[in-house]
Amino acid sequence: MAEYLPGDEPVRVSHGALDTLHALLGALPIAYFLLAFLIDVTYVRSTYFIWPIFSIWLIVAGLVAGGLAVLIGIFDWLASRRSTRARGSGWHMLLTLAALLLGLLNAFVHSRDGWTAVVPEGIILSGVTTLLLIVAAFLGVVTSRRAA
């Protein structure tokens, strides 16, 4: 059995309130877009008319939360751009902005009526947006851990 010595604990470095707020707000769009994708899948399987309405509300909530996360992330990046942790954040920013632009396109697609709001473009855009946000969040975590 391994013994733990006092110096063996992992060191956690806090980068301030902006970093914490950015991480908190950055998780919300992932949840909203993932739920919108799952609701799109549910609509395809059940064709109950209310599901696309739930989906568009979740997409809009994801766009609002993502916009706030990007705004806080820009402030955080400007505050720490001379440090080493700002160096690898390019892909994180690029993928997040691409995902939010796809999410905006997804909102326009979901504003159509009936079946064509979801199938096939809506469900594809929901899935791709969710995957891009998950990869962007992973890159953001890796970048902040590497610099800590």
Side-chain angles (χ1 to χ4, degrees):
M1 198 152 180
E3 292 183 33
Y4 292 103
L5 300 174
D8 288 346
E9 293 91 20
V11 177
R12 302 222 178 216
V13 178
S14 175
H15 297 290
L18 283 177
D19 193 38
T20 304
L21 191 59
H22 177 68
L24 177 67
L25 287 176
L28 291 175
I30 296 171
Y32 288 138
F33 282 109
L34 179 62
L35 283 172
F37 174 70
L38 293 175
I39 285 176
D40 286 347
V41 170
T42 303
Y43 176 67
V44 168
R45 296 184 56 83
S46 71
T47 66
Y48 188 59
F49 72 95
I50 202 72
W51 292 119
I53 297 169
F54 294 154
S55 185
I56 188 64
W57 278 101
L58 286 168
I59 291 168
V60 169
L63 287 172
V64 170
L68 289 173
V70 165
L71 188 64
I72 298 295
I74 288 172
F75 288 139
D76 188 29
W77 179 75
L78 288 173
S80 65
R81 67 182 157 184
R82 287 193 172 89
S83 72
T84 58
R85 75 184 186 108
R87 288 187 189 149
S89 59
W91 284 109
H92 170 68
M93 289 188 288
L94 187 69
L95 285 176
T96 301
L97 289 175
L100 290 179
L101 287 174
L102 278 178
L104 182 63
L105 179 64
N106 195 13
F108 291 138
V109 168
H110 272 79
S111 66
R112 292 188 268 179
D113 193 29
W115 184 260
T116 59
V118 177
V119 178
E121 295 95 0
I123 197 166
I124 292 170
L125 285 172
S126 292
V128 170
T129 302
T130 303
L131 286 176
L132 280 177
L133 283 172
I134 290 171
V135 171
F138 176 75
L139 290 175
V141 167
V142 167
T143 301
S144 70
R145 299 270 186 217
R146 186 179 337 133

